[in-house]
Amino acid sequence: MRIKDYAIRVLPVTCEDLRSIAVSNDGLTMKHQAAITELLGRVTPLADDLGRVFASAGHELALVGGPVRDVLLGRSVSDLDFTTDARPERILEIVDGWADAVWTIGIEFGTVGLRKGDHQIEITTYRSESYDTKSRKPEVSYGTSLEDDLARRDFAVNAMAARLPGHEFVDPYGGLDDLRAKLIRTPGRPEDSFGDDPLRMLRAARFSSQLGFTVAPEVVTAMTEMAGRLEIVSAERIRDEISKLLMGARPRDGLALLVDTGLAAQVLPELPKLRLEIDEHHRHKDVYDHSLIVLEQAIAQEKDGPDLVLRLAALLHDIGKPKTRSFVEGGRVTFHHHEVVGASMSKARLVALRYPKDVVADVSRLVELHLRFHGYGKGEWTDSAVRRYVRDAGHLLPRLHKLTRADCTTRNKRKAAALARTYDDLELRIARLEQEEELAKLRPELDGHEIQQVLGLQPGPEVGKAYKFLLDLRLDQGPVGKEAASTALREWWQDQS
């Protein structure tokens, strides 16, 4: 059975039929067939069991949305999403005794969460959502039909389902065709979909990044015309979509879509502002394009999976340039102290998006430090300066290494190679000092108690000042020993007195 035979979009299709589609369709290969077989072998017994529980209670149940899409794409599936005609209170009654654990955080929106063995499961009542023009909270109304429930889904590739326990494949809006075409398209009019939930506009960009799919032209047009609707969506929901976009395989595609449609001006206005006008008299890099290249080059250095802090820092490292741009003689443009301004701006933006405090602190610190290496010149830094570089970077040093290397986007191969060699030299010096002095544990050679004994002090702010003096001594001179440190401390204290 080939996909072109799907003249009617809702057909009873068994698991074997799905495998046939995977084999015969040019876009869904044997790789996808293997993924379907593996998933069904691992999930179907549980899903079928749950389907039988609901059927015996007189209710429908279907596996829906992302899990169906991902199994057809050969992607791994961890969480399972189901939909049903049962109301939330009835769902709780049906799964009582079947689920190992149940939670009701989303029950007001029709969703019940539960755990069965190693599987996280969400069951949502057939529903539709819509926003009032001024409301940040959706109004939820329940439905009675699976096909109608699929109509309210964000995109056709997420509007496929498999009824349980019989595996009837339901695809009323051509999601399977869109998977083959690698296309993001809404089940109905995009204007209606985005009117119901404006956050779906950000999801389109997110799926562009995650799946590498193209967004349909009519969807792009609607995103552009309705960008202002995002103002009613909470900062937390916007933050989550931006993070998922950045953590995708192709974040540049998603970010470019946000900028081109005007959505970025609503959620991350610093990004489109990087498109500085360049005239024939003043020369500088395209800061917007440079930032996206830096992001890609930072991603290329990731070894342990996507790093949100690194990716945010790479994207935002130059956002201080528009505010600090000035023109000088000879057609040059300067951006003095843009790293300091950018650190403040990145902190403000991430706070507004409700990012966790540690993410805000780490990203803004990386933005502040990203130019520090350029003072290294051709290796003129003293060991003291290298120690301070390590001390100031702290736990962010590995990320700072990646960001600094990614920030080299020159097309001049000789210049790029020279910068790489210079940074190689700095890393070798850091490694040598680390081995000799344990830089990661850089502390004064006297602790607070010893400082009090040497100076005859009680606990208080003077001890903190003395500690800072000894830390600076350690950074400047390296290990000097407790006796020399005590002598220097007494001399310093005498001067202070």
Side-chain angles (χ1 to χ4, degrees):
M1 183 182 296
R2 298 183 63 84
I3 287 185
K4 67 180 182 181
D5 297 328
Y6 276 73
I8 301 175
R9 295 296 186 185
V10 183
L11 293 174
V13 181
T14 68
C15 296
E16 290 299 325
D17 291 327
L18 279 175
R19 294 182 185 128
S20 298
I21 292 169
V23 172
S24 60
N25 172 40
D26 293 336
L28 299 175
T29 65
M30 291 291 292
K31 171 185 175 183
H32 304 111
Q33 176 198 359
I36 294 170
T37 304
E38 190 276 334
L39 179 71
L40 291 174
R42 179 165 45 88
V43 172
T44 297
L46 180 146
D48 286 347
D49 187 30
L50 184 58
R52 284 189 287 270
V53 170
F54 271 75
S56 64
H59 289 281
E60 299 176 0
L61 186 72
L63 183 67
V64 70
V68 178
R69 176 201 69 220
D70 287 342
V71 71
L72 289 171
L73 289 174
R75 304 175 78 206
S76 61
V77 178
S78 55
D79 298 338
L80 301 177
D81 296 328
F82 296 89
T83 188
T84 179
D85 61 340
R87 296 297 175 91
E89 296 77 11
R90 181 65 175 141
I91 295 174
L92 291 174
E93 294 174 357
I94 294 172
V95 301
D96 183 31
W98 183 87
D100 296 331
V102 176
W103 53 91
T104 59
I105 296 175
I107 197 167
E108 63 178 311
F109 300 113
T111 298
V112 172
L114 53 97
R115 178 177 57 81
K116 180 70 171 180
D118 295 331
H119 292 287
Q120 300 289 338
I121 295 171
E122 284 192 351
I123 306 175
T124 302
T125 304
Y126 298 156
R127 71 183 186 189
S128 63
E129 295 177 357
S130 62
Y131 283 81
D132 184 79
T133 55
K134 297 181 180 179
S135 173
R136 292 178 181 268
K137 292 186 178 181
E139 296 180 2
V140 175
S141 57
Y142 296 125
T144 58
S145 162
L146 173 59
E147 286 74 16
D148 289 345
D149 178 80
L150 294 176
R152 63 96 183 170
R153 301 279 166 169
D154 51 6
F155 304 109
V157 294
N158 295 330
M160 298 179 289
R163 294 185 187 274
L164 299 170
H167 306 139
E168 176 189 347
F169 183 58
V170 183
D171 180 24
Y173 303 103
L176 204 55
D177 290 339
D178 286 355
L179 284 184
R180 180 174 64 174
K182 296 186 176 182
L183 186 69
I184 298 296
R185 186 179 54 82
T186 53
R189 295 176 65 248
E191 295 82 3
D192 295 335
S193 180
F194 299 155
D196 288 342
D197 184 354
L199 191 68
R200 290 172 178 171
M201 294 185 284
L202 289 185
R203 286 199 198 116
R206 186 240 292 184
F207 283 121
S208 174
S209 168
Q210 288 183 329
L211 303 177
F213 284 15
T214 300
V215 179
E218 69 274 14
V219 176
V220 174
T221 298
M223 291 166 66
T224 305
E225 294 175 349
M226 302 179 69
R229 283 282 286 156
L230 275 177
E231 66 182 7
I232 69 169
V233 182
S234 70
E236 290 83 359
R237 296 185 76 197
I238 290 172
R239 172 203 64 207
D240 290 346
E241 289 301 323
I242 290 176
S243 295
K244 291 174 183 177
L245 185 159
L246 283 174
M247 298 291 272
R250 300 172 63 176
R252 178 170 185 159
D253 293 350
L255 292 168
L257 182 61
L258 292 185
V259 171
D260 293 343
T261 57
L263 289 168
Q266 302 293 322
V267 300
L268 199 61
E270 295 81 5
L271 185 58
K273 287 180 180 179
L274 292 177
R275 283 179 159 174
L276 299 176
E277 293 182 4
I278 304 175
D279 61 41
E280 59 183 319
H281 302 294
H282 299 102
R283 302 185 300 275
H284 61 82
K285 291 181 180 179
D286 180 340
V287 183
Y288 168 73
D289 190 59
H290 165 76
S291 297
L292 295 182
I293 293 174
V294 172
L295 172 60
E296 290 180 320
Q297 294 185 165
I299 291 172
Q301 298 178 71
E302 293 175 338
K303 297 188 186 328
D304 300 316
D307 183 339
L308 179 62
V309 168
L310 177 63
R311 295 187 181 200
L312 281 168
L315 180 65
L316 302 177
H317 77 285
D318 273 348
I319 63 170
K321 280 191 171 180
K323 282 191 174 183
T324 58
R325 181 171 64 160
S326 62
F327 304 106
V328 296
E329 293 182 5
R332 293 186 305 107
V333 178
T334 64
F335 305 96
H336 289 310
H337 304 302
H338 76 269
E339 73 280 11
V340 177
V341 174
S344 176
M345 292 174 63
S346 61
K347 180 178 181 180
R349 175 54 52 198
L350 296 178
V351 167
L353 289 171
R354 305 290 194 271
Y355 274 95
K357 290 181 179 179
D358 60 333
V359 173
V360 174
D362 287 351
V363 173
S364 59
R365 186 62 168 159
L366 284 169
V367 172
E368 181 182 2
L369 293 173
H370 83 274
L371 281 186
R372 181 76 65 88
F373 159 71
H374 294 284
Y376 190 68
K378 295 182 179 180
E380 295 91 347
W381 276 2
T382 62
D383 283 353
S384 172
V386 175
R387 293 187 195 102
R388 290 180 184 277
Y389 186 77
V390 174
R391 190 274 307 270
D392 291 346
H395 71 282
L396 295 171
L397 184 61
R399 287 177 171 135
L400 183 58
H401 288 333
K402 295 183 179 73
L403 178 60
T404 302
R405 290 183 181 276
D407 196 25
C408 176
T409 61
T410 179
R411 295 180 181 178
N412 186 319
K413 293 183 178 179
R414 181 180 299 177
K415 183 178 180 181
L419 284 170
R421 285 195 301 270
T422 305
Y423 206 84
D424 288 342
D425 178 69
L426 175 58
E427 287 203 57
L428 287 172
R429 289 184 65 186
I430 290 173
R432 176 177 59 80
L433 289 171
E434 171 67 37
Q435 186 175 11
E436 294 174 355
E437 304 178 16
E438 294 187 283
L439 292 184
K441 302 176 181 178
L442 195 65
R443 294 182 179 86
E445 289 173 280
L446 302 179
D447 61 24
H449 180 69
E450 290 170 321
I451 290 171
Q452 293 175 54
Q453 288 184 325
V454 170
L455 299 181
L457 296 175
Q458 295 297 318
E462 291 85 359
V463 177
K465 293 177 183 178
Y467 187 92
K468 184 179 182 303
F469 163 76
L470 288 174
L471 180 58
D472 288 337
L473 180 70
R474 174 74 170 78
L475 289 167
D476 290 336
Q477 300 183 24
V480 297
K482 287 184 179 293
E483 184 176 347
S486 299
T487 300
L489 179 62
R490 293 189 187 95
E491 293 174 354
W492 171 82
W493 183 245
Q494 187 174 2
D495 291 340
Q496 297 298 306
S497 302

